[in-house]
Each structure stands twice: as structure tokens, then as C-alpha cells.
Amino acid sequence: PPLFFLMIRRPPLSTLFPSTTLFRSNILQGISLREGEDAKIVYISGVHAIPFYLRNIQGKIHGFIVDTEAPVMWPRELVDIISTCFPDCKLTLSSTLLQKDYYSCGTMAYDTLLYFVKHGHEIFPYIEKQKTQFSETAGAYLLPEDRLMPPLLKMLQTELR
């Protein structure tokens, strides 16, 4: 099945709103982030929407995936796509189950993108301070569920375990 991405990139300084682009997965290979640039993207798989954030920090791509259904269903396909397009990407995955149903991932993805737009520059310094461990199952570093950024934890529809 075809894959689509919704991408919100940092806007030029002359505009107030981020530009939005809907594109197929092979376009991800064409993204070239210069130092300090970022991309906010929503990966659509069937009916599930998964927001993720990419940023070039000192010439290295860092990625953060907020799958609101993790760890119920790890986004392995998305991890593989990002790893293929950006082989040296340090990828971190939130392990917090944020949603209680299978219907609100679109709303959660939109709210997460807004967080990325407003706080993108703070994400990776925050993650670096947390204890993450690489998970072979998820194919990425895992951010412990109680270490998710407080504004994202406010979106929690479930209780932390």
C-alpha cells in the first residue's frame, strides 16, 4: 500500500506559519537538512498517524518518534524507513502509551506537531539528559514512559503504568 507523509518544515523568517507538504515515502530520501534545520512529519500507516521530528545537530541527524500507541505496536516500518534514508540517524522513540483508543491518533499527531513547532530546539537536549536504552525490538533508543516531555504527558489519555 502507498505510504504518505505530512511534513511541516520550519518556515522562512518572513512567514508566520510553517509550510505543510503531503508526500510519498520515497520523497523522504530527498530531504536534506542543513545544520540547525528540522522537519516535522506525520507518517500515515493505514489508519494510524505517527508524528516524528528530525533535526540536524552539528552535521548529524537526530530523530524523535512519538507513537501514541507505543509499546502496543512499535512503528518498526517507520524506523526502517528513517534508518534507510538517514543511516547515521540517532533515533529515539517514546515508549509512553498516550491514547486509550484507536481513533484519536490524528488529533494526537496534530498536537504533537504543534509541540515540535514550538519546542523543537529543546527536544534533543532534553532527550540527552534522560536515560535511554537501545531496543532491538523497536530498532531505536527508548525514552522511558515517565520521562516524556511534560507538555506531551499532558496529552495522556491513559494512566502511566
Side-chain angles (χ1 to χ4, degrees):
L3 304 173
F4 291 92
F5 291 85
L6 172 67
M7 181 175 113
I8 298 179
R9 292 192 62 146
R10 192 165 110 182
L13 294 176
S14 62
T15 63
L16 295 175
F17 301 102
S19 55
T20 305
T21 309
L22 185 64
F23 63 98
R24 294 182 185 272
S25 60
N26 61 348
I27 301 297
L28 185 60
Q29 296 172 342
I31 293 177
S32 176
L33 298 174
R34 293 183 298 240
E35 174 69 36
E37 287 188 332
D38 60 11
K40 298 106 177 150
I41 304 167
V42 172
Y43 171 77
I44 310 282
S45 176
V47 296
H48 187 49
I50 305 169
F52 68 99
Y53 180 69
L54 298 172
R55 187 173 189 89
N56 184 330
I57 301 172
Q58 298 176 348
K60 184 167 170 67
I61 302 295
H62 292 257
F64 181 50
I65 300 173
V66 181
D67 185 353
T68 57
E69 290 182 358
V72 173
M73 181 179 74
W74 295 113
R76 190 58 198 226
E77 183 179 34
L78 174 58
V79 169
D80 291 343
I81 290 170
I82 294 171
S83 298
T84 300
C85 296
F86 303 100
D88 297 327
C89 179
K90 182 176 181 189
L91 199 53
T92 304
L93 178 64
S94 165
S95 63
T96 308
L97 178 63
L98 290 173
Q99 67 186 73
K100 64 181 177 184
D101 57 41
Y102 294 104
Y103 306 106
S104 54
C105 62
T107 302
M108 301 289 268
Y110 177 77
D111 290 343
T112 303
L113 284 180
L114 292 178
Y115 174 80
F116 291 163
V117 168
K118 189 172 181 181
H119 300 283
H121 64 284
E122 302 168 357
I123 291 173
F124 296 109
Y126 178 87
I127 289 173
E128 288 298 320
K129 293 177 185 176
Q130 308 307 311
K131 293 186 177 183
T132 58
Q133 294 182 349
F134 191 79
S135 165
E136 291 294 331
T137 305
Y141 289 89
L142 295 181
L143 184 64
E145 73 175 29
D146 62 336
R147 302 290 179 159
L148 188 64
M149 298 80 177
L152 292 178
L153 276 176
K154 286 182 181 177
M155 296 186 327
L156 194 69
Q157 295 178 345
T158 63
E159 293 182 20
L160 288 176
R161 288 180 258 149

